[in-house]
Amino acid sequence: QQIRSLLFAQDQLNETNVVKLDLEQTLSALKDAESAQRGFLLTKDSVFLQPYHGAYDRSKYLISEIRDLINTNQQHKDLVALQAFIELRFKTFNHVIDHYNNPQLKTETKKMYLLMSKSVMDSIGFYVRNIQVSEDNLVLAKEKARKKYSFLTPFFAILLMMTAIAILVFSYGKIIEQLNRLKKVFSELKKLNNELKQKNHKLELYNKELDSFTYIASHDLKEPLRKIKTFIDR
């Protein structure tokens, strides 16, 4: 149970680090797209738009991964707002790329496009920081839980081993006690068996003596009868 708790705390800590990394990668994808847009607007060369292609799909994937990892309601609210501003930022990317170099576009309008893009990026940065701060606060709690279980897990493991050793020592002592008792019983049984053998031997001797006495007594008792029979025959 302690090991499972430790692994769970470690997994939560890893999830927090993954969320922070995904947020950084999302900002990186937006900055790459922004740099690509800036290069294209300055040079009108589509080669600069290569980092821009795929940035939207990449950011959507990262946002989806973050959504699966965050836990609090406030984080989900911040993530919904962040996703909305990312959608808006890519729309402004497309709009600026399509219309910025239009000769009929006024300078004030171009400036407005750029200011709007900056405002959207500021909002994105705000919500990213909010989620990061929430994750940092969670990291402290999760790190505390991880340290707790990191201490308790070996402690309980050592306690379990000591308990197991104590049980083994106690069981070993009881087994030795039983073996000594059995040895004593076997010794007594062996002694009794020897005594029984001696008594049986004596009994056999008594039986032999009794048989001999019986034979002698029978012979002596039959002698008068033989005398009488002899006189009768005469």
Side-chain angles (χ1 to χ4, degrees):
Q1 183 179 359
Q2 289 296 320
I3 292 173
R4 282 200 301 269
S5 300
L6 174 62
L7 292 175
F8 178 72
Q10 186 64 48
D11 288 341
Q12 285 190 318
L13 197 59
N14 291 337
E15 287 178 0
T16 299
N17 292 328
V18 170
V19 168
K20 294 173 70 175
L21 180 62
D22 285 348
L23 288 170
E24 291 293 337
Q25 290 181 349
T26 302
L27 276 178
S28 178
L30 286 167
K31 289 177 181 177
D32 289 343
E34 197 169 45
S35 298
Q37 180 200 54
R38 190 178 294 113
F40 175 73
L41 295 179
L42 291 174
T43 63
K44 297 182 182 180
D45 188 348
S46 60
V47 173
F48 285 94
L49 291 177
Q50 288 181 356
Y52 173 77
H53 300 299
Y56 177 70
D57 292 333
R58 176 66 178 163
S59 64
K60 281 184 67 177
Y61 171 77
L62 291 170
I63 291 296
S64 175
E65 192 173 68
I66 293 171
R67 185 182 298 108
D68 294 334
L69 295 175
I70 58 178
N71 298 314
T72 65
N73 292 330
Q74 184 59 45
Q75 285 179 317
H76 280 286
K77 291 179 181 178
D78 290 337
L79 187 66
V80 169
L82 175 62
Q83 187 175 11
F85 278 107
I86 289 174
E87 294 280 349
L88 179 60
R89 184 67 187 102
F90 276 101
K91 287 180 180 178
T92 58
F93 275 142
N94 295 330
H95 187 76
V96 170
I97 289 171
D98 292 339
H99 299 91
Y100 191 82
N101 289 320
N102 188 348
Q104 299 179 355
L105 199 65
K106 295 181 180 180
T107 303
E108 289 80 5
T109 306
K110 292 181 178 181
K111 184 177 180 180
M112 182 190 68
Y113 285 161
L114 296 176
L115 289 174
M116 184 173 65
S117 299
K118 181 180 181 303
S119 175
V120 173
M121 282 299 295
D122 290 341
S123 298
I124 290 172
F126 171 77
Y127 286 108
V128 166
R129 284 191 297 274
N130 280 355
I131 298 174
Q132 286 177 334
V133 168
S134 298
E135 289 298 320
D136 288 337
N137 293 333
L138 290 173
V139 163
L140 295 176
K142 292 175 181 178
E143 182 64 24
K144 185 177 179 181
R146 189 190 67 81
K147 287 181 178 179
K148 171 187 172 185
Y149 289 116
S150 295
F151 169 76
L152 289 179
T153 300
F155 172 75
F156 275 104
I158 292 171
L159 181 63
L160 179 62
M161 286 190 293
M162 291 177 65
T163 304
I165 292 171
I167 291 172
L168 288 173
V169 170
F170 177 77
S171 301
Y172 179 76
K174 285 294 182 181
I175 290 170
I176 295 299
E177 182 181 346
Q178 290 292 333
L179 287 175
N180 291 333
R181 189 177 300 171
L182 286 173
K183 286 180 180 179
K184 186 176 179 181
V185 170
F186 287 146
S187 178
E188 291 178 357
L189 286 174
K190 189 175 180 180
K191 183 179 178 182
L192 291 173
N193 193 32
N194 290 332
E195 291 178 358
L196 184 60
K197 285 182 178 179
Q198 292 177 0
K199 289 182 179 180
N200 286 335
H201 181 66
K202 288 181 180 180
L203 185 60
E204 287 177 359
L205 293 176
Y206 290 152
N207 286 334
K208 287 180 180 180
E209 291 178 358
L210 183 60
D211 289 341
S212 178
F213 174 77
T214 303
Y215 175 77
I216 294 171
S218 175
H219 183 272
D220 290 346
L221 288 173
K222 289 179 179 179
E223 185 60 26
L225 293 175
R226 282 195 297 271
K227 295 285 186 179
I228 294 170
K229 187 175 181 296
T230 299
F231 285 121
I232 291 172
D233 290 339
R234 286 181 180 179

